[in-house]
Amino acid sequence: MNQNESSDIIEKLDLHISCRQLDDLNIVSDLDPYVVIYQNNNNHWTIIGQTEVIKNDLNPNYKTSIQLEYHFEVQQHLKLEVYHYISPTQSNIVGIAETTVAHIVASKDQILMGDLITFSGRRSGNFIIQAVVVEQTKEDILLTLSGHNVKETRFWFWHGTSPQLKFYRYIMDDNNPVLIYETNFAKNTTQPTWKDVTFTSSKLCGGDYQMDIKVELWDHRNNGKHLYLGETTFCVNELIDHKRKSMILQKEFINKTKGGESFGVLQFNRFQFNHNYTLLEYCRGGLQLKLITAIDFTASNGKFNDPNSLHYMKSKGAPSQYLQAITSLMEILICYDQDKNVPVYGFGCKPKMNLINTNKTLSSFALNDNPEDPEVIGLDGIVQCYIKQLPNLCFDGPGQLLPSLKIAMDMAYQLKLQDSDKYQILLIFTHGQVSDMKEFTNELIAFSNLPLSIIIIGIGDGNFDELEILNNQVKSIVDSYGNYATRSFLQFVPFNQFKNDLARQVLPQINKQLLQYMKVLDKSPKPINHKNLLNLKLTRQYPQPQPCVPLQPQFPSKLLYPPQLVFPPQLSYPNQPQTGVALNQQAYTDQAFQQGLAQQTNQQFAHPSQ
């Protein structure tokens, strides 16, 4: 049993909902609106909650919140449907909107506002969602323990005692406590000290600092017949009280089988709380992720108009392997960058673009053909930039990672100097034939104290042996000068192995690396003042909503309340994308692929030089 293992805490959000300036549907009295929330699970909309009905109000603030689990590595699509309640058997729809949990969490103060649209595409009001983190106990409790005046239990040649501690907590039945930890045993001593013990507060006491924790003292025997010596109890509040008074807590071991005889003293030499902050808490305090992308255009990928090329895209607009990998990660990560500006670089080829046009193989260049400003806007900007420039690149080699790394490190260094609430993520997509691995490793270790994570995605079936060495082993890598990295901040993932679940493989590591960086700096999340939804006004500046293609509605036959809904006949979503809060991002991305390729698939791709 791994005694110090911390179980992952499932983070939860309460979604508080309001609406503003709802369409009155041309009825005589004001609306009686309520909201139904759906979550998309395996391409099926499932109801996860519903608010109460509020009478005669076009600007309702709902008391009923909707609770859901938050997963950083998953794109969690939500749909809101606002209805006007007429009777237990009839309700008219006011408007619909779609968004994602990531858009809500990454919004300023975790408050998101967007448009409601009707089936005809007309705006019918606004919705406001505020995410509130459901507080859970996330503290680690560190204890340094020693024993004093432990009675000897052996004599003659077997002189001495080997004390060991066992910790129990009470869950349901005080008569049957559950064993949660065993210390090492201290050999042949009456003044034992044990290794430091670390518990999560949930494991030790379920977050109840008044709960009595039982500690038993045993004499460890090699034959397995350990001898019970005594027991005592303590609670976390006792430790907190003694620490506040700069006192050391001592508890006496009493043997209940020998008439309450004392068998020694347990001393708590050190007690320390370490709070395990979460990404949600840092986002709530204003943290943003800043992204930078580098794409491999070396000849080892194959000519992009060859069906066997890793950059090849079929005539119907199916994305290349590179674009599949980029999209699966960026569609989630981009939500956590409020300005959505992403520098995109290429490497390993001879660009033949308007401004960047050379017969020299470049190890780094702005893919948007703008050396002064390599940024594009959002996932759609990356997709269109990639598609546009493919015919203008003469694939060559070798592939070098160091130039892209230096650009990212310079940006991360500036963020650190500014003490910014931003964390840099470098995404490198490569076929794997790297010519500067030694220099790359040296630079990695030299700058491992920056707010930076490096994710390398191996595309295709190339030789990734050198990159595999880096994977999750950064702390053990030594540079040419014998230096080690101060933390883990790099991950390599082969795309073909995890193509159907790439985000779930990569994003938890980014989460872990970010939290580790904050812990090394002892940097806690900035507090925010939650604003009362009753005081929110439409004049407030909110992040601009993204364009989207709404999914086709899948209305349930029955809702929690009212029991049955009556819909106007022959209603359907408009064909054109509406401006509303995002998103069915995959539908939007697929459309971008097809629109971008439609103009090119009837032409034969060729380099300008050919």
Side-chain angles (χ1 to χ4, degrees), residues 399-419:
Q400 295 182 347
L401 303 184
L402 185 58
S404 300
L405 177 64
K406 285 189 173 181
I407 293 172
M409 286 182 166
D410 287 343
M411 297 171 70
Y413 182 69
Q414 292 302 317
L415 294 180
K416 187 168 185 176
L417 283 181
Q418 299 165 9
D419 193 25

Side-chain angles (χ1 to χ4, degrees), residues 3-9 136-143 197-205 209 236 239 243 271-277 519:
Q3 305 285 9
N4 290 330
E5 183 179 358
S6 298
S7 59
D8 292 334
I9 296 174
Q136 303 181 70
T137 56
K138 296 182 286 288
E139 292 86 6
D140 283 342
I141 295 173
L142 173 67
L143 301 176
V197 183
T198 301
F199 297 99
T200 62
S201 58
S202 58
K203 181 177 180 179
L204 179 65
C205 58
Y209 294 160
V236 175
L239 295 170
K243 183 173 184 176
F271 161 66
Q272 181 175 322
F273 262 131
N274 293 321
H275 191 95
N276 293 318
Y277 295 110
K519 201 161 193 174

Side-chain angles (χ1 to χ4, degrees), residues 151 228-229 252-263:
K151 286 193 175 182
Y228 166 81
L229 301 182
E252 189 174 19
F253 288 113
I254 302 298
N255 190 314
K256 293 188 175 182
T257 65
K258 295 188 176 181
E261 182 180 351
S262 174
F263 266 70

Side-chain angles (χ1 to χ4, degrees), residues 5-6 8 11 70 72-73 276-280 282 287 289 333 423-425 448 450-455 471-475 486-491 503-521:
E5 183 179 358
S6 298
D8 292 334
E11 296 181 88
Y70 167 75
F72 173 57
E73 68 278 10
N276 293 318
Y277 295 110
T278 67
L279 177 64
L280 271 178
Y282 284 105
L287 175 74
L289 303 183
L333 290 173
Y423 186 86
Q424 191 78 47
I425 298 174
S448 62
L450 293 176
L452 173 67
S453 282
I454 302 164
I455 305 300
N471 190 31
N472 296 325
Q473 299 178 22
V474 175
K475 281 191 174 182
T486 58
R487 67 181 180 94
S488 296
F489 60 94
L490 182 144
Q491 184 186 22
R504 289 179 184 267
Q505 184 70 20
V506 172
L507 269 57
Q509 286 299 318
I510 293 178
N511 189 352
K512 181 179 179 180
Q513 292 164 12
L514 186 154
L515 296 179
Q516 186 181 31
Y517 173 78
M518 296 298 185
K519 201 161 193 174
V520 169
L521 266 61

Side-chain angles (χ1 to χ4, degrees), residues 535-555:
N535 297 325
L536 285 175
K537 298 180 180 179
L538 290 176
T539 55
R540 179 189 169 120
Q541 295 298 313
Y542 290 91
Q544 289 299 312
Q546 303 270 343
C548 68
V549 177
L551 295 179
Q552 291 299 316
Q554 298 180 16
F555 296 118

Side-chain angles (χ1 to χ4, degrees), residues 51-261:
T51 69
E52 75 277 15
V53 175
I54 295 183
K55 295 283 188 179
N56 301 322
D57 197 340
L58 298 178
N59 300 284
N61 301 294
Y62 295 100
K63 293 184 297 183
T64 303
S65 62
I66 311 299
Q67 189 172 109
L68 52 76
E69 293 182 2
Y70 167 75
H71 300 279
F72 173 57
E73 68 278 10
V74 178
Q75 189 71 294
Q76 297 172 273
H77 293 277
L78 300 178
K79 180 168 67 173
L80 295 83
E81 295 182 345
V82 180
Y83 292 95
H84 165 51
Y85 175 78
I86 299 175
S87 72
T89 60
Q90 186 178 5
S91 290
N92 288 340
I93 193 158
V94 178
I96 299 176
E98 293 178 20
T99 186
T100 66
V101 174
H103 274 87
I104 301 170
V105 168
S107 298
K108 185 178 180 181
D109 296 339
Q110 296 184 334
I111 302 175
L112 182 66
M113 180 178 179
D115 290 338
L116 294 163
I117 61 172
T118 65
F119 290 121
S120 63
R122 180 175 54 82
R123 179 182 170 277
S124 58
N126 295 93
F127 70 87
I128 302 169
I129 299 180
Q130 180 180 35
V132 177
V133 179
V134 177
E135 297 297 338
Q136 303 181 70
T137 56
K138 296 182 286 288
E139 292 86 6
D140 283 342
I141 295 173
L142 173 67
L143 301 176
T144 300
L145 304 167
S146 63
H148 299 278
N149 302 322
V150 175
K151 286 193 175 182
E152 294 188 1
T153 59
R154 311 174 203 184
F155 304 97
W156 301 100
F157 297 106
W158 300 276
H159 177 77
T161 303
S162 296
Q164 181 182 28
L165 301 178
K166 295 184 180 183
F167 288 74
Y168 297 82
R169 63 171 285 195
Y170 299 99
I171 297 180
M172 297 295 292
D173 187 349
D174 287 354
N175 296 320
N176 294 289
V178 176
L179 177 66
I180 57 173
Y181 186 78
E182 293 181 6
T183 68
N184 61 302
F185 66 89
K187 190 174 182 179
N188 297 332
T189 179
T190 60
Q191 308 292 327
T193 58
W194 294 280
K195 294 179 181 178
D196 287 355
V197 183
T198 301
F199 297 99
T200 62
S201 58
S202 58
K203 181 177 180 179
L204 179 65
C205 58
D208 180 1
Y209 294 160
Q210 295 182 348
M211 175 187 289
D212 283 334
I213 305 301
K214 184 170 77 167
V215 185
E216 292 182 347
L217 177 66
W218 289 74
D219 178 17
H220 181 88
R221 303 293 175 90
N222 291 333
N223 61 8
K225 297 181 180 179
H226 312 310
L227 180 64
Y228 166 81
L229 301 182
E231 63 188 69
T232 188
T233 62
F234 75 95
C235 70
V236 175
N237 275 345
E238 286 183 281
L239 295 170
I240 294 173
D241 183 59
H242 278 70
K243 183 173 184 176
R244 185 173 63 250
K245 297 176 180 178
S246 299
M247 298 172 61
I248 294 177
L249 178 64
Q250 292 185 332
K251 307 288 287 191
E252 189 174 19
F253 288 113
I254 302 298
N255 190 314
K256 293 188 175 182
T257 65
K258 295 188 176 181
E261 182 180 351

